[in-house]
Amino acid sequence: MSRAADTLQTHAEVAKLAQLLDHEPAKLEFLERLSLEDVRSLRERITEALFDAQDASLRRLAVASKLLPPAVSASIGERAFGPLLSARLAGLLEPSKAVDMAGRMQPPFLADVAVALDPRRARDVISRIPADQIAAITHELVAREEYVTMGRFVGYLSDGTILAALEQMDDKALVQVAFVLEDKSTVSELVGLLPKSRLAGIVRAAADNDLWVQALDLLGHTTERQRKEIVAATAELDHAALEALVSAVIQYDLWQEVLAIAEQDATLQRKLAERVRSLPAPRRRELAAEAAAAGSIKRLGVLGEALAGRRSKAGSRASSGP
Amino acid sequence: MSDKQVEKAFAELCSQLGGAAPEGLRELDAAQLRLLTAAIADARHRQAEALAVAGDRALGHIPRLLRGPIRRVVR
């Protein structure tokens, strides 16, 4: 992962933690200098502490709910308990009853519950919620730009349900949800579920919304075949988009991540080759070694030559131009 | 700020968490650790209050016949 991706992931983790504590993220900014692993581990421990704090009372409520018909329980959940307590209770209820209750609740309320829910504690409930309801909740979460919440749930949904959720996500949301997935090994599975017609949207969404750090991180977690398909599906990027991509590579040091895309695009190779010469020599040698080890240096054309410290005719022309 | 103060603040955080905090948090200063501990305590307090209020409010939505048995289970 690039340093920029690491920084953004830690920022997203602190946002999750602030959400959990119902605290202003700005006041917890000091946590961003910790490692991603430490912030994530802290969030998990706080989750445990909060869920365990009223465990006995919540368990008694869960037992009491067995005496009530689901319609009454759902009404109490929505009107009396609110989203926070409903989220705490969800994992303590009989899963079939919890799903029945959820089916009687409105998507905006369920979206509020999703924000406060610890999916690990309600996995049996989440996995039984029908696809159309997941789609309605996702629609709500996308409208609220709750990417972090969606990212926490993906690992607990079946393929069919994920497909229903993906249909509700535009490409911008998809790139941002993939970026905050807790288990990055699921990125390639997620991309594998996308219809081919949507692959082009990933790079386009990055270009249109300045999401190159997130998109390059996503591409870095796909299989080589998927990466090729995504780049091949992308219509040629216009001048402005290419300039934005090159700027993001320089600003966030995304050289390693961009090489996979550059293999497919001669214009991008040329633009990056112009900039690679200004990199410190050790960094350039490091990238060249990585590209050589991956067997991609020859496929990088003039960029490969620039990385290797050779000055190509095209490169000379570019550097001597106005 | 002394190491002793950081150690004390770290121990208070562990106590609030009900177990060990990630070791990396020792990089924070005592004031930051105390702020974090207070934020967790506040969240727990708010959750307990919400639970108490919700319990009373919920009874209003339960059919009268069932209120007695529900009270017995919950208390």
Side-chain angles (χ1 to χ4, degrees), chain A residues 77-120:
Chain A
E78 224 164 343
R79 293 180 192 171
F81 283 2
L84 176 68
L85 289 180
S86 296
R88 298 290 188 264
L89 269 170
L92 300 173
L93 299 169
E94 173 64 31
S96 57
K97 173 144 188 178
V99 172
D100 191 339
M101 286 167 61
R104 297 164 194 271
M105 293 169 163
Q106 295 301 309
F109 179 78
L110 291 169
D112 290 336
V113 173
V115 171
L117 190 65
D118 178 8
R120 294 171 306 173

Side-chain angles (χ1 to χ4, degrees), chain A residues 17 20-23 27-28 30-31 33-34 37-39 41-42 45-46 49-51 53-54 57-58 60-61 63-65 67-69 72 75-76 79-82 84-85 88, chain B residues 13 16-25 27-29 32-33 35-36 39-40 42-44 46-48 50-55 57-58 61-63 66 69-70 73-75:
Chain A
L17 202 151
L20 178 66
L21 292 172
D22 195 16
H23 213 69
K27 289 189 177 163
L28 296 175
F30 61 87
L31 293 171
R33 70 184 166 93
L34 300 176
E37 290 72 26
D38 279 336
V39 180
S41 169
L42 174 65
R45 288 181 204 188
I46 294 174
L50 289 178
F51 274 75
Q54 274 80 37
S57 307
L58 290 168
R60 285 197 293 274
L61 282 178
V63 172
S65 79
L67 301 172
L68 299 170
V72 176
S75 167
I76 290 173
R79 293 180 192 171
F81 283 2
L84 176 68
L85 289 180
R88 298 290 188 264
Chain B
L13 174 63
Q16 190 59 244
L17 288 173
E23 280 298 306
L25 268 75
E27 285 178 30
L28 301 177
D29 64 38
Q32 291 168 335
L33 287 167
L35 191 151
L36 191 55
I40 300 168
D42 282 351
R44 288 177 77 152
R46 275 198 306 275
Q47 187 176 280
L51 191 58
V53 172
R57 213 167 31 204
H61 295 272
I62 295 170
L66 286 170
I70 293 281
V73 173
V74 173
R75 283 174 183 164

